[in-house]
Amino acid sequence: MVVLLLFAGSVINYLDRGVLSVVIPQVRWDLELTNSQYGLAVHAFLMMYAIFYIVGGRIADRLGYRRTISLTIVFWSLACMAHALVQGLRSLVICRALLGMGEGSFYPAAMRGVSGLFLPASRAKAVGAILSAISLGMLIAPPLVAMTTLRLGWRAAFLILGSLGLWLLLPWHLVHRQIETPEHRAVVVQAGGAGPASQAPGDPEMTLKEFLKTRKYWCVLAARGCSDASWYFYLFWIPGYFQDARGFSLAMVGKLLWIPYFCSFLGALAGATASSALIRQGWGLHRSRMTALLVSASLCIFCASAGFAPRTNLALALVSLALFSHQSWSTNIHTVITEISPPRHVAILYGMTGAAGTFLGAVAQLVIGHVIDLYGYKPAFLWVGGMYVLAAILLVSAGALDPIPRMAAGSA
């Protein structure tokens, strides 16, 4: 039930952040914005999202994932609804920044919950379920936002869709009244859950300072950072790309752009299933995760050719495969982070990796908007492919994707 509610929260998280990317042509027209100014609004969201990836991770380590999830849902829902009141660039930037603050804490808190409840053989499936919800949120955003906007206007779309998260608070509270008992905690510890509750004070666990000295963590962080920065291009610019460069109307966006996001939904599940199956076949943790990650990265590199496709249907197919491959990569890299991190510090270390990609993506938005205004979308697609190449190189440089023993901290 916890994973189911985290799945629902993840769907709404990406649905709410995706509203603007669907209606940006209409918002640009009404508020008289350029692509560069839209890039500034995206930059504001990503900067605060990155900061609160870290802050939220620290809060989750201290307050627990249950309270942190409740706080972040309330905050981002109200911030999304506030977009209905924007009157210009300044108010749009403020609302995007507030949305980033609210949404940034969700995933570190969710991963902390998963790391404490699931063993390695099934942990990727739980992570895959949560990340597949990202794809579902992106999948339903184009038709839902387009339908609402065509009938009621873009301001109503923010108001109506922004309120959905508030409906999760009651079931979230009720579920945890049932599971947060001494008996349930004992079951988790006996099953080998990795959460803080199962960590005895005297266990020889690496400290946060020791872990931050390891090369493996920084290589994995940088690899995720590169791929996340590319993901933000697909998230924030693809609906506009198909409208500006491929001639889609808003109605066509609603009818066709669910396809790439449905493929990303399948990719998250496929990546989790593949690596978990390889582990059960005896491949080992490192070999299984690395195989799934490198295959996914290779497909992402190939699919960056979408910006040069001669036909619109081919471009749509390549973008769909790119999102499938990225989510397969994402499921496994997110799982790797929770597996190599000391249990007590999972949320903050996971948050730091997310912040790295978000900071890089935020800086890139300032450049991408100018580049698209001057040269179109092709240079942006080239950059996306290059970032996946770099991510694969960094991943291989990390070495074995296994937990780091404390005695290795000084040399890893």
Side-chain angles (χ1 to χ4, degrees), residues 23 52 60 84 87-88 90 109 135 151 170 225 255 261 267 288 324 336 372 379 383 397:
V23 300
F52 277 81
Q87 298 298 321
R90 179 179 297 179
S135 307
R151 294 185 178 183
L170 180 59
K255 290 179 180 178
Y261 303 126
S288 301
F324 175 95
V336 165
I372 291 174
W383 171 78
S397 301

Side-chain angles (χ1 to χ4, degrees), residues 9 17 35 39 72 75 97 131 134 164-165 187 240 329 359 366 382 390 401:
R17 80 176 67 180
N35 280 316
T72 192
F75 199 101
L131 296 185
I134 292 175
L164 295 179
V187 170
W329 159 281
F359 273 126
L366 298 177
L382 285 174
L390 184 56
L401 302 179

Side-chain angles (χ1 to χ4, degrees), residues 180-268:
E180 290 191 342
T181 63
E183 293 80 9
H184 176 266
R185 188 177 297 275
V187 170
V188 173
V189 174
Q190 186 175 7
S198 63
Q199 187 70 35
D203 284 352
E205 181 185 287
M206 290 177 66
T207 66
L208 183 61
K209 184 177 180 179
E210 287 174 331
F211 191 78
L212 290 176
K213 294 179 180 179
T214 63
R215 179 175 62 89
K216 180 186 296 186
Y217 174 71
W218 290 105
C219 286
V220 171
L221 178 147
R224 183 189 169 183
C226 292
S227 62
D228 277 9
S230 301
W231 169 252
Y232 289 123
F233 169 76
Y234 285 117
L235 176 61
F236 293 115
W237 293 93
I238 286 303
Y241 164 71
F242 278 99
Q243 292 179 77
D244 296 338
R246 298 291 181 172
F248 277 27
S249 64
L250 183 59
M252 291 177 67
V253 168
K255 290 179 180 178
L256 295 176
L257 281 197
W258 63 269
I259 297 174
Y261 303 126
F262 179 68
C263 290
S264 67
F265 171 80
L266 297 178

Side-chain angles (χ1 to χ4, degrees), residues 314-346:
L314 179 58
L316 184 62
L318 287 170
V319 168
S320 299
L321 182 58
L323 268 61
F324 175 95
S325 306
H326 174 86
Q327 285 297 80
S328 174
W329 159 281
S330 190
T331 294
N332 284 282
I333 197 71
H334 288 220
T335 305
V336 165
I337 295 163
T338 67
E339 289 171 339
I340 67 173
S341 299
R344 281 195 179 93
H345 308 295
V346 166

Side-chain angles (χ1 to χ4, degrees), residues 363-376:
V363 173
Q365 301 309 310
L366 298 177
V367 179
I368 289 174
H370 287 291
V371 169
I372 291 174
D373 279 336
L374 294 174
Y375 305 109

Side-chain angles (χ1 to χ4, degrees), residues 301-319:
I301 294 166
F302 169 74
C303 292
S305 61
F308 300 85
R311 299 187 305 276
T312 298
N313 57 355
L314 179 58
L316 184 62
L318 287 170
V319 168

